[in-house]
Amino acid sequence: ATDAPIHTIAAVAARIREDAPDLAERVEVVRPRDRLRLGGIGVEVVGELHAVIHPDLPRFHNSGYLLEVDGTRVFHPGDALTGPGREVDVLLAPVSAPWMKISEGIDFARSVGAARNVAIHDRIYSDTGLGVADQHFGRFLAAAEQDYVRLPEGADLD
């Protein structure tokens, strides 16, 4: 609905060109370690492969993005679960997926080590399941002196 540029991995770019050829000229393929400047925000592409779904399935490309916003580093890992290799202030922490256990999400958040962790990728669980996940993320990350929060839908990340 806008004229915004589209920065994505090769497979998604190919799909956009096929399904929405009118957008093709706005698509730019990104690769790990690419650095972009978008609307005054520094962005670095991180990771390369989606986390393992099942050993019998091939892994496919998937990238995360490290954003530098007014001196604050915010990391969205996508489904790659590859850390950025540097200090992060805010991790958008994946909580649930059909291919991920709660313990994997907690271990990933601990390994990134962000002081603040904001729940994302959490639509697969019921309200009860999210309650369990939030309890575990909160407890284990607090023990590592990391904050954890699930923001209400539509809330801004302050």
Side-chain angles (χ1 to χ4, degrees), residues 82 103 119:
T82 303
S103 61

Side-chain angles (χ1 to χ4, degrees), residues 10-26:
V12 173
R15 186 70 185 259
I16 290 170
R17 290 182 182 115
E18 182 180 312
D19 293 349
D22 56 313
L23 302 178
E25 67 184 38
R26 297 189 343 214

Side-chain angles (χ1 to χ4, degrees), residues 62-142:
N62 188 283
S63 293
Y65 298 89
L66 179 62
L67 293 81
E68 180 97 24
V69 182
D70 296 329
T72 299
R73 287 188 179 149
V74 179
F75 182 53
H76 189 306
D79 292 341
L81 296 185
T82 303
R86 65 180 57 87
E87 190 174 311
V88 172
D89 300 299
V90 179
L91 170 64
L92 303 180
V95 170
S96 65
W99 44 265
M100 187 180 89
K101 296 184 277 184
I102 291 173
S103 61
E104 291 173 306
I106 292 168
D107 289 346
F108 178 70
R110 284 173 154 177
S111 73
V112 171
R116 185 166 188 212
N117 294 270
V118 178
I120 63 163
H121 207 310
D122 58 359
R123 295 295 185 161
I124 196 120
Y125 288 162
S126 66
D127 289 339
T128 302
L130 287 174
V132 170
D134 288 344
Q135 181 181 16
H136 288 308
F137 268 81
R139 178 171 35 128
F140 286 105
L141 293 180

